[in-house]
Amino acid sequence: MSDYDNIEPLQAQGLLDSRRVAILKGCLIMFFHSCIFAVLASQIFAIWLDKQMHLNSLQIGELLGMKTLVSVFYKPLFGWLLDKTQLRIRFIITIAIAGLGAGPFFQFVYKPLLMTHNPTLFYAAGLLGGIYFGYVIIAGSGVIWGYTGRYIEAHAGTVDKVGASNSIAWLIMGFILTALYTINPIWGFYLASLSAFGLMVTLLSLKVKPFDTLNTKATSKQKIQLTDLKILFTNPRFYVLAFFSLSTMVVVYAQYGQIGRYSLSFWPDNMQTYGLKFDVYFGAPFSIVQIILLATCSGFIKRFNPSRTLLVIGSGYGLSLLCFGLAALLKDYTAGGSYMPSLIASVIAKQMLLFVHPFTNVVAVSYVLASFNKRMGGTALLVGLHFVSNLGASLGNGVVGGMFKNQGWGRSYVELGIYIFIATILLGFLIRFANSRDKERVTSHFKSKTS
């Protein structure tokens, strides 16, 4: 017998959405937020800083690092608030409200500060950007993933559909942002404001009030307490997630903002606008395949085990970054000759990385749902994955930016790829340790009940 409350009578009365409608609304939440994310954190943003603001690799790395460093301090608080409010929208809707100001903020605050090329105002832009980026997309993204995962799970759905809607948003925005960039780069920021309006309307349509007193797979009548934190931080599975974040995701995020510049470096100067468009169109078929796999991957993750799937993700990242480096070394080797071999290699490497990346949050949410008390799901995800990875990346952005400036793309990416492979091997040993501790805990609990 299950101790879960039956929600079907409430669905029949129209007090709760049906499973299908709940999945649709959850996917719309993720879609609109991902559109905001795509504007503020896509490769176009780093290209904008390079071509329009005339910043170098180190300056861009410092800006990306500053926005991440400021934002990480939202993460523990956001995780606690997410678990405290569960499915109520009064906290999560503030992310949509803040997103409405994207266009005005970047046009009238962020851009003018950078255009002065004054060191003091440069760091002021970094600080203000960190406050805004952190709330809306960096910490906000973790909240959206945690909320939609919990919302759909409460209606007996699966989170893979959320991952598919995330990829659909990035695919669509890739085409739109590329077109807008060639017309007027600032228009993209107003597109983020429009997406925030769609997010707010969707959140206001949710029927979640009855969940305050329901015990489901994703919600609890018992609200989060401080003692739950002790249980979380003594769970070895939390440190599996934290190590994956600290070792692998720190590197991925630290270099992610400069991928656009890396890709354009393979194109002749007079063909870079064409290269930007080619990148989007060439990646579309891969994105479609990715969306199909994301929409159907929950069965595979469940059968293969979320812990093992983390190893697959780590290996995919290591292989991608290694290929990035080999493509750049090939370009250096053929300097003065044909640029096509290295260009083709760089395009393939980039598609590999972009193919792997969207699966990370789906696997992480599945891992959290399978490993932790449902009262602590938000805190586990926001702290174990997002806080740890973003805190490390805030420092790593400057380091990686310095590597690119001093060592070049090739050597830097080869070193980063090898590092992730080593980290993935160590993660495998940590997973085995966590599994053995779980077995010991279950065996001890069984013996104490039978004695």
Side-chain angles (χ1 to χ4, degrees), residues 205-251:
S205 74
L206 301 183
K207 299 176 181 179
V208 293
K209 187 173 179 58
F211 283 108
D212 288 347
T213 55
L214 290 176
N215 187 47
T216 71
K217 289 183 178 180
T219 60
S220 174
K221 296 177 183 178
Q222 297 180 331
K223 308 307 178 186
I224 187 174
Q225 301 175 0
L226 287 175
T227 52
D228 291 319
L229 290 175
K230 180 181 178 181
I231 297 173
L232 175 67
F233 294 131
T234 55
N235 186 339
R237 293 190 178 276
F238 174 80
Y239 295 99
V240 170
L241 188 62
F243 181 80
F244 172 75
S245 305
L246 187 61
S247 59
T248 298
M249 297 313 299
V250 163
V251 173

Side-chain angles (χ1 to χ4, degrees), residues 7 16-27 29 82 86-89 92 144-159 162 202-203 205-209 211 216 218-219 369:
I7 66 172
L16 290 178
D17 289 322
S18 67
R19 176 177 175 272
R20 181 175 296 179
V21 172
I23 291 174
L24 175 61
K25 289 184 177 180
C27 289
I29 292 170
L82 181 59
Q86 296 201 37
L87 290 181
R88 296 189 294 276
I89 67 167
I92 195 171
I144 294 295
W145 273 100
Y147 184 89
T148 52
R150 175 174 280 165
Y151 178 77
I152 290 179
E153 183 78 7
H155 291 83
T158 54
V159 296
V162 176
T202 306
L203 288 171
S205 74
L206 301 183
K207 299 176 181 179
V208 293
K209 187 173 179 58
F211 283 108
T216 71
T219 60
L369 291 172

